Amino acid sequence: DFEEEGEERTQLMDGQQRWTTITVLMGIIRHLLRSNKGNYHDITSEIDDKFLRLNDGSCFLQSKRASDKKSIEFVVNIEPSDSIKDTPPHKRNQFTFKRDEVNYTGTSINCVIEYFYDRLCKVFGVRGSNSDLSKLAEFYKVISRKVFVNYTHTQSPILAYKMFVTANSRGTPLNNFDVFRGLVLAHNRINDYGEEKDLQYDLEDADMTLQELFSGSKDYGKAVDKVMSDAMTVLQGEKISSNHVMSRLEHTISQFDSREKLDELVKFFNDY
């Protein structure tokens, strides 16, 4: 995502489907836990803070499409007494999807809202306010602790578009350098460590170097993951496999308490 002059909110360049899916899923989990007599206040508050709302109480995710905006607000603000079937009606963008022998009709988001509700109720045996939702609560904990969302923020829409085109032109999933870039920029922004442009350009230089080195590789992502694995092995003094680079990066970066440490880490990978 990126900052755009004249817009109060950060703009999303890519990842709309992912953020919408996360918002709907978390909204439905929160709704089910709030509608139950069990004590899940800590989890529902965490869902609110991490996935659904900004500090001022407004929806974290918004859409310029009126129908989608209403649906997002519905799933974020739904009360325990409300019915999940009362999704905001809209005359346009109507689709029909068939899942588990059930037809869902409406806008794409409304269909997803109703499907997630039905699916979670079925899988976790939700039949009323007295249902045992301990497994649903554990499911949320697994998602929130084990699933990574690669977040990359820039100050420039031009740079955001360039990163978007570069990543999508490969036609491959995110590699471990993409994850590294996202973790560095997110940590810097979350902790308010200062201006991001230098970090962005240093990371861009490293990415360009990788592209030049492995442009002829049959599997670009695998080649980059191997380099990141080797670099992490040198950095930590023990063998780090490609499958464990992401978790090690997340743990390492989360411990940094200054911008200087982030800069040093980026320089290390650039030099390597």
Side-chain angles (χ1 to χ4, degrees):
D1 63 16
F2 59 94
E3 303 291 342
E4 187 170 33
E5 186 176 353
E7 295 286 350
E8 294 182 358
R9 281 174 163 260
T10 298
Q11 303 298 298
L12 191 62
M13 176 65 72
D14 188 28
Q16 178 183 351
Q17 292 177 331
R18 295 174 182 85
W19 280 118
T20 303
T21 299
I22 290 171
T23 299
V24 173
L25 179 60
M26 292 302 171
I28 298 301
I29 292 175
R30 173 180 173 274
H31 173 61
L32 290 172
L33 294 177
R34 289 183 70 209
S35 303
N36 189 269
K37 292 182 179 179
N39 183 14
Y40 298 108
H41 178 72
D42 288 348
I43 292 179
T44 57
S45 294
E46 182 176 291
I47 291 174
D48 255 350
D49 295 340
K50 284 189 173 183
F51 299 101
L52 301 182
R53 301 181 193 276
L54 298 176
N55 292 335
D56 64 3
S58 62
C59 298
F60 177 83
L61 178 68
Q62 289 195 1
S63 174
K64 293 182 178 180
R65 179 182 288 178
S67 60
D68 290 349
K69 181 177 180 180
K70 289 180 180 178
S71 296
I72 292 168
E73 291 175 346
F74 170 80
V75 79
V76 169
N77 296 311
I78 188 170
E79 294 294 330
S81 58
D82 295 337
S83 171
I84 205 71
K85 301 297 182 181
D86 293 333
T87 50
H90 202 269
K91 295 180 180 180
R92 299 179 62 186
N93 304 314
Q94 298 290 303
F95 303 94
T96 298
F97 302 93
K98 187 174 183 179
R99 295 290 185 277
D100 299 334
E101 302 305 316
V102 177
N103 288 322
Y104 296 92
T105 302
T107 64
S108 296
I109 296 182
N110 286 351
C111 290
V112 171
I113 289 172
E114 294 186 25
Y115 170 71
F116 276 1
Y117 177 82
D118 290 346
R119 183 66 178 171
L120 290 174
C121 285
K122 180 179 179 180
V123 170
F124 295 103
V126 183
R127 297 180 178 85
S129 60
N130 291 314
S131 301
D132 179 5
L133 300 189
S134 57
K135 290 185 178 180
L136 176 61
E138 187 61 31
F139 173 66
Y140 163 73
K141 292 178 182 178
V142 170
I143 294 175
S144 64
R145 308 296 189 266
K146 302 293 185 181
V147 177
F148 292 88
V149 177
N150 187 65
Y151 171 80
T152 302
H153 178 87
T154 78
Q155 298 293 329
S156 163
I158 296 174
L159 181 56
Y161 182 72
K162 184 177 180 181
M163 292 166 66
F164 166 73
V165 171
T166 299
N168 281 272
S169 64
R170 299 176 190 153
T172 58
L174 291 175
N175 57 59
N176 283 331
F177 180 81
D178 294 324
V179 173
F180 172 63
R181 174 166 52 191
L183 288 171
V184 167
L185 294 175
H187 192 71
N188 185 74
R189 184 172 179 80
I190 290 170
N191 292 282
D192 195 22
Y193 285 158
E195 177 60 53
E196 296 178 349
K197 287 184 179 179
D198 290 342
L199 271 179
Q200 292 169 1
Y201 289 128
D202 288 343
L203 290 165
E204 177 90 354
D205 286 343
D207 191 29
M208 293 299 293
T209 299
L210 289 171
Q211 291 183 53
E212 291 173 4
L213 285 172
F214 302 118
S215 60
S217 175
K218 293 182 179 179
D219 191 333
Y220 177 85
K222 188 174 182 179
V224 172
D225 287 348
K226 174 64 166 57
V227 170
M228 294 297 291
S229 171
D230 292 344
M232 284 297 291
T233 295
V234 173
L235 182 67
Q236 300 205 335
E238 60 177 317
K239 179 63 179 177
I240 307 296
S241 69
S242 296
N243 293 333
H244 293 99
V245 168
M246 184 169 68
S247 60
R248 288 298 186 97
L249 283 171
E250 194 279 332
H251 176 74
T252 299
I253 293 172
S254 68
Q255 305 301 310
F256 288 173
D257 57 6
S258 70
R259 169 60 179 270
E260 287 72 22
K261 292 181 179 179
L262 274 179
D263 288 333
E264 289 174 4
L265 186 66
V266 172
K267 185 177 186 304
F268 167 79
F269 279 99
N270 266 337
D271 292 344
Y272 186 86

